[in-house]
Amino acid sequence: MEQFVIKGGKPLHGEVAIGGAKNAALAILAAAVMTDDTVTIENLPDVRDVNVMLGAIEGIGGRVKRPDPHTVIINGSAIESLNVDYEYIKKIRASYYLLGALLGKYKKAEVALPGGCAIGSRPIDLHLKGFRALGADVDVSYGLISAEADRLTGAHIYLDKVSVGATINILMAATLAEGRTVIENAAKEPHVVDVANFLNSMGADIRGAGTDVIRITGVTRLHGTEYSVIPDQIEAGTFMFAAAATHGDVLVKNVIPKHLEATTVKLLETGCEIVEFDDAVRVIATNTVLRPTSVTTLPYPGFPTDMQPQMTAVLGLADGVSTVTESIFENRFKYVDELARMGANIKTESNIAIITGVQGYTGARVSAPDLRAGAALVIAGLAADGFTTVDDIHYIQRGYENFEVKLQGLGADIEKTSDEREAQKFRLRVS
Ligand code: UD1
């Protein structure tokens, strides 16, 4: 099993380039099969989740070419199966985006029902409510979601809760429905906007993405396009927090600073200096005594839940008591016990973590419980005194491309190793 071995205590310095947004890419890939024409997608992150989604598309008969790791050419004209297997859904929940895409295009789709996951129960009732409102018969039985309609017709849909997944899934199906759909209380995340822009570039008529009311006028067909995925705000934020935790000075390039505002504000509150450029953000924490603060996760433009563990890793080193409130997912503090093994002083009470800052972390052997928590443990390891080993890094590889290579480029002593001999070799080299 691969691991990251880290010798901490070195401030990160230099420049890092951010890749395409994983969560935008996953939905865009699903939407790409909604036309029979060929679609080219650029700035694709070469991460596990994206590769699983491409496998799912091939699994239903889509043609996929990969001229380079960051470009994919997809053709959905030869799709022969409308049934997406559990093999994919168990690896990535986002393969449920094929439900909206196939239902829109073929008026029929079957996708295995996603199970629970490490951060809490994740219902999909709002997705199904949306499909039903568009006129589909939706049945959930034998571990499958089946949706079918003679015709889909536009509808007025109010989402009881702000949901990225439901917004995107309904958006896709409504694009090829007859007439007008209005989604109220829609998610405003940058990747929702990116998916809408992508669909519009294929001939869809979607307005208002990025606000809480999205209006879609259905079209009869979509055409091919070439599209470049937006930069990943969560990857960018992760490097910003790594700079803060290690008292480094890092220029995070190829970002849209507006998407990072919530992260930027919180880093300013902890005492870091932030310099914004057109497409880059520099975090300077060289002489910063990190200050405590409070954070609550909220839908965009609030502080992203996907940055919550990384933020906690930073606040664990602040000079005082901070609180982090998780308002999106019910069980997203599982990693706290792992951070405690590195010396963090964190208590959780229901959805609130109370963090009493410590002088420093100490290296330990820890295990990534999920993707973002795994990134938080790497951040802690980079800041810690001594060696940290992070196990279960396959979670981290779901969403970070060449994480260790990018960190090495910032001067970090980190190595991906596959056995104890390699780990020992690395430890000797950097000792
Ligand atoms: C997406 C992101 C994930 C991120 C999350 C919140 C992808 C692939 N994943 O997940 O990384 O953490 O947004 O920003 O883009 N809910 C319901 N019923 C539903 C759907 C959602 O009650 O039908 C609830 C969820 O339990 C949760 C909240 O709504 O409490 C938000 O979830 P949602 O925005 O749907 O998250 P995902 O799209 O699954």
Side-chain angles (χ1 to χ4, degrees), residues 1-8 338-339 341-342 362-369 373-374 376-382 384-393 396 413-427 430:
M1 283 298 234
E2 289 183 328
Q3 307 163 316
F4 286 143
V5 185
I6 305 161
K7 179 163 187 270
E338 296 299 288
L339 270 185
R341 308 189 65 241
M342 302 180 71
T362 46
R365 184 158 189 166
V366 290
S367 198
L377 293 173
V378 171
I379 292 175
L382 293 168
D385 183 38
F387 285 98
T388 294
T389 302
V390 183
D391 287 321
D392 289 334
I393 63 167
I396 301 175
D413 287 327
I414 177 169
E415 189 91 344
K416 186 171 71 185
T417 61
S418 18
D419 56 40
E420 186 45 37
R421 203 176 55 88
E422 277 179 32
Q424 194 53 25
K425 231 167 91 185
F426 167 72
R427 288 191 198 100
V430 295

Side-chain angles (χ1 to χ4, degrees), residues 22-24 26-27 49 93-94 96-97 119 121-128 161-168 187 189 191 234 298-300 304-306 327-330 332 371-372:
K22 170 186 79 87
N23 287 348
L26 290 171
D49 279 11
R93 291 175 54 83
Y96 61 36
Y97 283 139
I119 58 176
S121 80
R122 293 175 77 174
I124 54 157
D125 54 310
L126 297 172
H127 304 232
L128 307 188
K161 207 165 172 183
V162 178
S163 159
V164 173
T167 303
I168 293 177
E189 266 70 2
H191 42 291
I234 307 299
L298 286 169
Y300 187 84
T305 172
D306 286 355
S327 79
I328 311 281
F329 293 114
E330 71 215 23
R332 209 168 187 174
L371 164 58
R372 304 304 171 185

